[in-house]
Amino acid sequence: MSFDRRELIHLLTFAAGSGIAGFDSPLAEAAEAVTSAESDQTMEKVLGIGGLFFRAKDPVSLGRWYKDHLGIALTPTSHADQPWRTEAGVTIFSPFPEASHYFGDPKQMWMVNFRVRDLDKMATQLKAAGIAVDIDPKVYPNGRFARIHDPEGNPIELWQPAG
């Protein structure tokens, strides 16, 4: 019986992890050696989004709006200022078809989606500040969503992940 490299890695990994081979067995050691060698050749990946940059008619006012209503700290202007720190969590990266109506205005080329802890609390806070919030009534397998727009009309999706 012969196996290609990928099949062997899966077989050895399964055997080592399933109890078929004890942790101290030669089979478990072989699985560890093969998977370690394989992981040394994995592709380097980005760690997350380092910034979001876009044009604005009035960058100062728009930056203040994001800070005041969504709590996003602006780019530091001194060593004493701290940049916005996000909480670890999933990030969705998804190009859309050019003809998609999901962003609203067909000329809109981007949309940002911000994760929130409590969509209802965030919506209440935004509504109290006079910001229109459209909460999607459907609960999706990956969570709940709402749509707002910044003062320049850019769409913003708010997402409360499931669970």
Side-chain angles (χ1 to χ4, degrees):
M1 184 179 319
S2 73
F3 298 98
D4 71 13
R5 182 173 174 74
R6 185 173 303 263
E7 290 173 322
L8 181 60
I9 290 168
H10 288 293
L11 178 64
L12 291 172
T13 304
F14 171 77
S18 68
I20 293 172
F23 287 113
D24 297 329
S25 75
L27 187 55
E29 290 172 19
E32 177 66 27
V34 171
T35 55
S36 292
E38 191 76 11
S39 67
D40 290 342
Q41 298 172 7
T42 58
M43 180 181 101
E44 186 67 23
K45 298 177 184 175
V46 298
L47 302 175
I49 294 174
L52 175 64
F53 309 97
F54 56 98
R55 300 176 199 274
K57 293 176 188 108
D58 184 350
V60 173
S61 294
L62 193 58
R64 191 172 21 259
W65 184 89
Y66 277 88
K67 182 179 181 194
D68 293 347
H69 298 292
L70 299 178
I72 298 173
L74 303 176
T75 303
T77 56
S78 75
H79 293 288
D81 292 342
Q82 292 296 309
W84 175 42
R85 293 206 177 270
T86 63
E87 291 184 16
V90 299
T91 300
I92 305 301
F93 183 84
S94 182
F96 277 69
E98 187 175 30
S100 173
H101 296 286
Y102 192 71
F103 303 166
D105 182 348
K107 294 178 281 194
Q108 191 69 45
M109 294 301 291
W110 65 275
M111 182 179 70
V112 65
N113 170 298
F114 291 119
R115 273 183 322 224
V116 299
R117 186 178 343 276
D118 186 322
L119 186 63
D120 295 320
K121 279 186 176 178
M122 177 62 83
T124 300
Q125 172 183 301
L126 293 168
K127 287 176 182 177
I131 298 167
V133 181
D134 181 22
I135 297 178
D136 188 333
K138 185 173 179 182
V139 177
Y140 297 88
N142 57 337
R144 298 177 57 220
F145 296 88
R147 181 72 57 98
I148 64 172
H149 290 84
D150 72 17
E152 294 194 5
N154 297 307
I156 300 168
E157 190 169 64
L158 303 174
W159 170 40
Q160 179 181 325

